[in-house]
Amino acid sequence: MGETVFFSVVIPTYNRQPILEKCLRALEVQNFTKPSSVTDYEIVLVDDGSTDGTLEWLAGHKQEFPRVRWFQQDHAGPAAARNLGVEQALGDTIIFIDSDLVVLNNFLQAHAEALVQGKEKLGSDRFFTYGAVINTCNFNNPTAEPYKITDFSAAFFATGNVAIPKHWLEKAGLFDTSFQLYGWEDLELGVRLKQLGLTLIKCPEAVGYHWHPAFKLEQIPRLIDQEIQRGRMGVLFYQKHPTWEVRMMIQMTWLHRLLWGILSLNGALNERTMAPLLQWLINLGKPQLALEIARIFLNWYNVKGVYEAYARMQQTS
């Protein structure tokens, strides 16, 4: 990595054109100190088979995004898209963000300073930097959202906002494309990076605002499906790394079964019985609180999905 960095910001996208525009515009107007440890940067966008006109929009606005190089693939999921982005990247350091993340104008400078300082402190580049992610449903001004306790993440390696030397990704083997459903492909790569001896250096100055639409009851079927998918992918994660740490991560323990079973009254508190309360909170203008309460039954669906997938795995093995 040396004293300077050349960043390749790798972004997979799938049917996110409106927020992708904000994401790319924020990356095009980065500010750097003089002299800066950033020699240059590029934005490597991989379209994962979008059907919302993303590529047509890019083609019509390419002069506004001189740093963007884009590639496309048939819909194969974020793991395959990120792998393609890394393979095409020209930089020595990869930054992963999602296409619904809007960053501040010091984002790249903050990651660069943390990388250079980390190398001076550790005497090697066997680490990565992890920025802050703040969740928001404010589309018009996503960066106005304050930090909330629910924005805290204890993940070791998550691709919402992370910078890492490219050669460590290549040595670890990139993302496992077996993770074709929702969840875990980034944390599974994190396990392999940890096995290589990499450590995490937090970089709270590199802030990204993760936009998602305000919670509505109509979203619940999709959220339940995501939790069931996450359970299935969690079992794949455990197959690759059969450790207690992974069991805790994917919620495949008696503790999680007991916890979410009690909180959901063994499923009695569900999307139907809790709908009036959730709608009341939404009507009060508190959709985020409604979503956090909905996680009671969403986590119960996840735990059930994990154990059902694990039982099927044992039957077929």
Side-chain angles (χ1 to χ4, degrees):
M1 189 166 57
E3 295 296 323
T4 59
V5 290
F6 175 13
F7 283 128
S8 291
V9 185
V10 173
I11 309 172
T13 191
Y14 178 66
N15 290 344
R16 295 276 177 81
Q17 187 270 316
I19 192 63
L20 173 65
E21 179 176 348
K22 290 180 180 287
C23 171
L24 296 180
R25 291 194 190 284
L27 285 168
E28 287 281 2
V29 293
Q30 292 293 291
N31 290 338
F32 300 100
T33 60
K34 295 185 179 179
S36 174
S37 50
V38 180
T39 56
D40 203 356
Y41 75 98
E42 64 171 358
I43 303 163
V44 182
L45 181 72
V46 180
D47 184 82
D48 186 31
S50 292
T51 57
D52 65 346
T54 292
L55 290 177
E56 292 80 2
W57 171 80
L58 274 169
H61 295 80
K62 60 183 178 181
Q63 71 281 358
E64 300 173 42
F65 302 104
R67 293 188 180 274
V68 176
R69 294 193 299 128
W70 71 81
F71 305 88
Q72 63 186 109
Q73 64 179 28
D74 293 335
H75 187 50
R82 292 190 188 102
N83 285 352
L84 177 57
V86 172
E87 290 160 5
Q88 296 293 337
L90 303 177
D92 53 57
T93 305
I94 304 295
I95 291 184
F96 290 115
I97 66 170
D98 293 324
S99 58
D100 51 8
L101 196 83
V102 180
V103 303
L104 298 181
N105 61 11
N106 70 330
F107 178 77
L108 296 181
Q109 180 66 37
H111 268 299
E113 289 175 359
L115 287 163
V116 171
Q117 291 168 9
K119 186 169 185 182
E120 291 173 354
K121 180 179 179 181
L122 298 178
S124 77
D125 68 351
R126 199 179 286 265
F127 67 95
F128 56 89
T129 56
Y130 190 25
V133 175
I134 296 175
N135 291 288
T136 179
C137 56
N138 183 344
F139 181 82
N140 292 327
N141 190 13
T143 60
E145 185 76 17
Y147 178 84
K148 307 169 290 300
I149 190 65
T150 50
D151 293 322
F152 173 77
S153 172
F156 176 71
F157 183 83
T159 46
N161 182 355
V162 65
I164 182 170
K166 181 179 179 181
H167 70 91
W168 287 119
L169 293 169
E170 293 170 334
K171 183 160 186 168
L174 300 184
F175 296 91
D176 184 344
T177 56
S178 301
F179 290 85
Q180 294 186 346
L181 300 180
Y182 181 81
W184 301 117
E185 77 282 349
D186 49 355
L187 279 84
E188 189 278 325
L189 175 55
V191 171
R192 287 181 276 132
L193 291 169
K194 187 180 284 189
Q195 290 169 348
L196 291 174
L198 271 74
T199 57
L200 175 156
I201 292 180
K202 291 202 172 182
C203 181
E205 296 79 17
V207 183
Y209 294 81
H210 177 216
W211 177 82
H212 53 84
F215 176 63
K216 297 178 182 178
L217 295 189
E218 292 80 7
Q219 298 171 11
I220 289 178
R222 178 182 59 83
L223 294 173
I224 290 174
D225 184 57
Q226 282 185 348
E227 291 303 319
I228 295 170
Q229 289 184 34
R230 196 158 66 96
R232 292 170 62 185
M233 293 298 96
V235 171
L236 176 60
F237 188 4
Y238 181 67
Q239 280 183 283
K240 293 195 67 177
H241 307 281
T243 66
W244 177 254
E245 181 183 18
V246 170
R247 287 185 77 115
M248 288 292 290
M249 290 167 68
I250 68 172
Q251 301 197 111
M252 195 171 74
T253 71
W254 66 267
L255 179 64
H256 291 97
R257 207 168 188 172
L258 181 65
L259 171 65
W260 297 114
I262 291 173
L263 290 176
S264 70
L265 302 181
N266 201 35
L269 296 180
N270 55 45
E271 66 275 21
R272 295 177 297 279
T273 58
M274 296 189 72
L277 171 62
L278 299 177
Q279 189 61 61
W280 178 71
L281 289 170
I282 291 168
N283 293 342
L284 285 178
K286 298 181 178 180
Q288 189 62 40
L289 177 59
L291 177 58
E292 295 305 322
I293 292 174
R295 295 198 191 283
I296 292 172
F297 61 80
L298 290 174
N299 273 293
W300 180 234
Y301 274 109
N302 175 244
V303 170
K304 289 201 301 180
V306 165
Y307 276 95
E308 288 169 4
Y310 185 63
R312 285 195 298 271
M313 181 198 78
Q314 289 184 310
Q315 288 171 1
T316 56
S317 61

